Amino acid sequence: MKSAQWARLVLMGLSMVTGGCTMTSQPGPLFEKSSDVGTVQHAGKTSYEAQTGTYTLTGSGANIWGTEDAFHFAWKRVSGDLRLQARVTFAGTSEEPHRKAGWMIRAGLASDDPYADVAVHGNGLVSLQYRRSKGAETEQVAAVTTSPTQVRLERTANVYSLWVTDAEGKVEPVGAVSFELPDEVYVGLFVCAHNPDEQETARFADLQLSNRVPEPGEKRVTESTLETVDIETGRRSLVYRAEAHFEAPNWSRDGGYFLFNQGGRIYRLASGESEPVVLNTGDATRCNNDHGLSPDGKWLAISNSPKDQSLIYVVPSDGGQPRQITKDGPSYWHGWSPDGSTLAYCAERQGNYDIYTIPVAGGKERRLTTADGLDDGPDYAPDGKFIYINSERTGVMQIWRISPDGKTQEQVTSDKAHADWFPHPSPDGRWLAFLSYDPSVQGHPPNQEVLVRLLATDGGEARILAHLFGGQGTINVPSWSPDSARFAFVSYRQILPGW
């Protein structure tokens, strides 16, 4: 496809009429061929009903998992960005919980080729499955919602993301991963029996397959999405999405609005509103993504660069002229003390980044850390007994907690499989949310595959709240709901304009 316009085919329907497909068949208008991938005991088939636009696939195969796959596949070769959507149901009386059907984007037709798919299981589980490279182990991100009415898989550059639609018609993000597949890929529908001695049948209705190839010289733009996640259920909700680069959400103390920064300004998005409005911050118009509301909600701390270095200011939360707090820079705000009297921040002094505090009323800053390397992201526990930070003093960035005077410093996370950033304790003091990178990633750059993880403050293992594409700007600042039930963050994609 040479045009930047979308190529889109929508097929609607409920059932099948005819059957039979081989490697050289032409199964309906949407796919080039259908074939069995890997070793199967029973040849599969693909059927298409023109009147209703429904595809039906019957296939065998032991699994789509591990390092090799075996399944039946109806496919076409497509280049560029992709959007794939369908309603997937199983036919017959089988009770096999691990049978799978869905959309797949695949590098090739070998059993061990890399791929990404949306797999609807016989027991209702839906997951984003993927193999990053040839012969690698399969990984997955499981949806919280089971047996959704529709599933959607998208490829945007090298980011693969999954959405589901629940019975009420609400679209929920599931997760996103990033790895490379060829520009031209095999795209289509699949079914896998899981029991190699049997066959399973799946029906695919309300199909949408859209693809777009960028025109020469066309540049991608950042799409930002403000989301919340329920920490008990893991369900994610879309709040606001735009073809713009915005960052670092704060949740207001009464839960009535969000703040985030975009283009040097602070924006306010009220609950129920579709578009944000610029908050008046006076002559502070070069704000970065380090900002947050005071415990009483009356003041907003901002980090603004009037010249070349970031300095910290406070401004009335409903807008007004800022008052400068720090005289030296760069200084980046991160936390308010529970009584609202003190600000905690990261600052570079004499070539080293450390944690400092300063009275809101003005005065001298106090240095709390002296370790070599970067100490960052200070946020107070709600009882004021600790300040949580991230520090690379042990080699890999991990979460620490320090006393407000800096005399006591304790490591909280020691998981070398992740580099952990920006710890945020919940208002009730029970939880700690933070951002995790692969440890090979240096710093906290944007456009990375990252995790939002949750850890109980009284100990235990961290668990994953969200898989996403993000990093810098995702959760730099406190973003808990007032009731400690939900957490807000921003995810990103690099999209072609109009995606």
Side-chain angles (χ1 to χ4, degrees), residues 343-407:
L343 301 180
Y345 55 102
C346 170
E348 184 269 322
R349 306 288 185 260
Q350 293 81 48
N352 203 53
Y353 283 88
D354 284 295
I355 305 303
Y356 292 80
T357 58
I358 194 169
V360 176
K364 293 183 178 180
E365 65 182 15
R366 181 178 187 179
R367 185 178 181 179
L368 302 185
T369 63
T370 58
D372 290 337
L374 175 63
D375 293 330
D376 197 1
D379 194 3
Y380 279 88
D383 60 8
K385 292 182 179 180
F386 297 102
I387 300 174
Y388 288 91
I389 69 170
N390 52 275
S391 175
E392 62 181 5
R393 64 187 69 184
T394 58
V396 176
M397 189 65 77
Q398 298 287 283
I399 306 303
W400 288 66
R401 67 181 188 181
I402 64 178
S403 58
D405 59 9
K407 293 181 179 180

Side-chain angles (χ1 to χ4, degrees), residues 85-90 100-103 118-121 147-151 189-190 202-207:
Q85 186 165 310
R87 181 161 52 88
V88 183
T89 57
F90 288 99
K100 302 174 182 178
W103 281 106
V118 48
V120 179
H121 296 64
S147 303
T149 57
Q150 289 197 342
V151 294
L189 305 172
F190 71 87
R203 295 192 175 110
F204 304 84
D206 303 333
L207 273 75

Side-chain angles (χ1 to χ4, degrees), residues 35-113:
S35 55
D36 291 316
V37 174
T39 302
V40 300
Q41 295 188 24
H42 307 285
K45 63 180 182 180
T46 297
S47 306
Y48 172 68
E49 184 186 85
Q51 183 177 359
T52 60
T54 299
Y55 276 89
T56 300
L57 272 67
T58 298
S60 181
N63 209 347
I64 303 174
W65 196 252
T67 60
E68 290 188 289
D69 309 319
F71 62 98
H72 186 64
F73 193 27
W75 52 266
K76 67 182 299 184
R77 286 164 293 191
V78 178
S79 296
D81 288 2
L82 294 159
R83 178 177 292 132
L84 315 168
Q85 186 165 310
R87 181 161 52 88
V88 183
T89 57
F90 288 99
T93 59
S94 171
E95 296 183 358
E96 171 55 59
H98 301 294
R99 56 184 172 167
K100 302 174 182 178
W103 281 106
M104 180 178 288
I105 303 169
R106 195 173 182 93
L109 299 178
S111 63
D112 62 349
D113 276 333

